[in-house]
Amino acid sequence: MEVSAGGSLHQKVFLYYANILGYLRVILLFFAFYHSRSSWLLFTISYACSFLLDMADGALARAFQQTSRFGAALDIFTDKLSTPGLLLTLSHL
């Protein structure tokens, strides 16, 4: 990550295109898990969209040269959130 002369991180990192996709993935996962018992269709569509965005965020970060440690951590966090959530949802079914 870039560091400015004052020693603080650039705020631009939080608005990288891939990181915005990461935020959207987290929102989609919470939406999916919220609707997991009431609507299997909403759950499936939301979870699938989050999964597809997972495939796109890394390529987008490299294409725009916007890679960062924060983005990598956000991607790992989202992956670690999605797998147990899916398993919990399936166990309730």
Side-chain angles (χ1 to χ4, degrees):
M1 285 188 274
E2 298 176 16
V3 178
S4 67
S8 64
L9 297 174
H10 279 252
Q11 298 298 320
K12 292 180 184 180
V13 163
F14 299 115
L15 297 177
Y16 282 176
Y17 298 134
N19 293 346
I20 292 171
L21 285 184
Y23 308 143
L24 183 58
R25 285 183 60 210
V26 171
I27 291 167
L28 283 169
L29 286 174
F30 279 113
F31 182 82
F33 297 138
Y34 180 78
H35 290 288
S36 64
R37 291 187 172 198
S38 61
S39 174
W40 66 269
L41 185 61
L42 280 176
F43 171 79
T44 304
I45 291 170
S46 301
Y47 193 88
C49 287
S50 176
F51 181 76
L52 292 173
L53 289 177
D54 184 28
M55 295 189 309
D57 65 356
L60 189 66
R62 288 185 292 278
F64 285 96
Q65 297 179 352
Q66 294 182 336
T67 57
S68 66
R69 289 182 185 167
F70 174 75
L74 179 64
D75 188 51
I76 291 170
F77 167 75
T78 308
D79 291 342
K80 297 295 182 188
L81 175 72
S82 65
T83 303
L86 178 62
L87 293 175
L88 187 63
T89 300
L90 290 174
S91 71
H92 284 347
L93 296 175

